[in-house]
Structures are given as C-alpha cells and as structure tokens.
C-alpha cells in the first residue's frame, strides 16, 4: 500500500507539472516578449491609438481575415490573426521603433496608420512589411476648435446615442442637428454615424438645441437620464433643449 500511494503522489506531481506548463505556454501563445513591459495593447475604444484595423463590409467585424505581426526595436513581436473588432485599435510604445508585417485573406480588410490606408481592395494572400511612423490618433471625432465633440468613451458626456439591436452599431439610422440658442446659423449636422460617435460632449456655459429625426424603429438617445425614441415610426422627429449654462 505505501508503494502504491507513493507512486500515486508522483503521478499527481507529474500531472500538475504538465498542467502548469500547458497553462504557461497557452498564456504566451502569439506573444514573444522578452520582459514584463508589454509595449502593445489592443482595444475597441482607446483614448488614442496608432493603428486602426477595418473591414469595409462590417464595422463591428467578428473576424478580420488576415495575419499581422508587430515587431519592436528590441526584437519583441506580437502575432494576430482572425481577430474581432475588440482589437480594432492598436496602441504602441512610442519610445520604440516598430514594423508591421501583414497578409490579407479578404479583399476589403486593411488598416490605417496616421492618414495612410493599407488594403481595402486586396488580392487573396496579398502581403507586405512596413515601418510604422507612429502618429497618435484621438477618439474625438471633431476638430478641437468645434464646440461639440464625439467619442466612444463613456466619460463626461451629455448625449448618448443608442441602437437597441447593436451596441457597436455601424450606422445610427437617423439625423441630428446641434446649434446654440440664438445662433442657429452655426448648425452642426450628423447622420448615419457609427458607435465611435456614441457619446456627445457639448461646450459648457451655453444653451443648446438638438433636433432629431429617426429612420429606424429601435434607435434613440439618452439625455439627463431620460430616453428618447427606442420605439419609433419612420420619420419621427423632435427637438430638445440642453441647458449647460
């Protein structure tokens, strides 16, 4: 009996060791970093990014059908393939130099670095390697001199747009107009925008008007804890006052 018990303990130790090695190797799959400082991160809503992946046929893609490998100047690399829009935006360590090797397996996928677009009209298996010129892109969808800004980040917002059938909507099926009370000549109009413009921040110390028209039944918006729309007839419209004075 003692012999069998000891052999069982040894077997358990072997199994435990194998499991630990399996878990460790799985956690490192596709990630070949030499130290604990990870110089790359992925998100679907960052405060800023360097590379943006796209699929022209699906804003909230479930599979970007290609392979990319990021390599930094220290020799660390990260490989991604067939990933979803949860990893749409890539933020890199600005203190390092980076290259990106890519292969496209779908004709309408690609990525954007700075103001340059790669892909979007690909041959199957088209590939290449580029040196990345790191330019930070920010989530605000309007220029800094405008009194209105948009973001996919849910901090400090006045209006939140909603599509009940799609949290990460590719096109909000309606139109909105913003203008300051007493200055209707300066009107800011938006339509068919994506969830990257889900949250709206308006310039404080002003009274705003927002006009809206719904062309989709389950869209709407939230202001000051109150929901508008969500069960619309085609063409339903209205106007609200947003007093930030």
């Amino acid at each position: 009996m003692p012999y069998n018990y000891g052999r069982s303990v040894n077997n358990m130790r072997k199994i435990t060791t194998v499991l630990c090695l399996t878990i460790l190797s799985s956690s490192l799959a596709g990630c070949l970093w030499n130290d604990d400082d990870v110089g790359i991160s992925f998100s679907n809503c960052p405060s800023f990014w360097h590379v943006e992946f796209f699929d022209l046929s699906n804003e909230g893609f479930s599979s970007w059908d290609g392979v990319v490998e990021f390599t930094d100047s220290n020799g660390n690399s990260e490989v991604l393939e067939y990933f979803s829009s949860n990893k749409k935006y890539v933020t890199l360590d600005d203190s390092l130099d980076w290259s990106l090797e890519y292969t496209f397996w779908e004709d309408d996928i690609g990525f954007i670095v700075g103001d340059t677009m790669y892909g979007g009209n690909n041959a199957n298996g088209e590939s290449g390697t580029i040196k990345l010129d790191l330019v930070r892109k920010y989530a605000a969808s309007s220029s800094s001199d405008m009194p209105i800004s948009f973001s996919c980040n849910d901090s400090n917002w006045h209006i939140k747009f909603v599509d009940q059938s799609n949290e990460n909507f590719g096109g909000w099926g309606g139109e909105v107009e913003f203008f300051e009370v007493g200055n209707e000549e300066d009107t800011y109009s938006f339509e068919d925008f994506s969830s990257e413009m889900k949250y709206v921040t308006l310039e404080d110390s002003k009274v705003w008007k927002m006009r809206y028209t719904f062309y989709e039944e389950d869209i709407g918006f939230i202001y000051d804890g109150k929901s508008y729309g969500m069960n619309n007839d085609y063409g339903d419209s209205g106007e609200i006052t947003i007093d930030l004075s």
Side-chain angles (χ1 to χ4, degrees), residues 11-189:
N11 287 340
M12 289 176 64
R13 287 174 179 169
K14 290 179 181 178
I15 292 171
T16 302
T17 301
V18 170
L19 285 173
C20 289
L21 289 173
T22 301
I23 293 170
L24 180 60
S25 62
S26 296
S27 66
L28 295 177
C31 184
L32 305 176
W33 299 100
N34 294 327
D35 50 43
D36 294 330
D37 296 325
V38 177
I40 183 170
S41 62
F42 304 91
S43 175
N44 63 351
C45 186
S47 57
F48 71 90
W49 63 90
H50 297 106
V51 180
E52 175 187 355
F53 292 107
F54 66 82
D55 183 331
L56 294 177
S57 61
N58 190 353
E59 177 76 19
F61 53 88
S62 59
S63 178
W64 192 90
D65 290 350
V67 183
V68 293
E69 180 174 1
F70 292 88
T71 303
D72 69 18
S73 49
N74 290 330
N76 299 314
S77 63
E78 175 86 4
V79 178
L80 285 179
E81 58 184 325
Y82 300 103
F83 52 91
S84 73
S85 58
N86 288 334
K87 295 185 176 181
K88 180 176 184 177
Y89 297 100
V90 186
T91 304
L92 301 166
D93 185 340
D94 299 89
S95 67
L96 301 173
D97 295 326
W98 292 85
S99 65
L100 172 58
E101 183 177 353
Y102 60 89
T103 302
F104 301 132
W105 299 116
E106 188 177 342
D107 61 350
D108 63 349
I109 64 170
F111 56 89
I112 301 170
V113 182
D115 294 323
T116 303
M117 184 175 80
Y118 298 83
N121 185 22
N122 315 310
N124 186 48
E126 186 173 334
S127 62
T129 302
I130 61 171
K131 181 179 179 180
L132 294 177
D133 183 14
L134 297 186
V135 177
R136 290 191 178 190
K137 306 292 286 187
Y138 291 88
S141 299
S142 53
S143 59
S144 58
D145 59 346
M146 287 179 61
I148 179 172
S149 62
F150 299 87
S151 176
C152 57
N153 195 304
D154 64 352
S155 60
N156 300 321
W157 54 272
H158 298 116
I159 301 287
K160 175 185 177 181
F161 292 109
V162 177
D163 183 332
Q164 296 181 95
S165 61
N166 192 352
E167 178 72 17
N168 298 311
F169 51 87
W172 191 84
E175 301 176 357
V176 292
E177 291 183 349
F178 295 91
F179 61 91
E180 183 184 354
V181 172
N183 187 22
E184 193 168 345
E185 294 78 14
D186 293 334
T187 300
Y188 304 90
S189 301

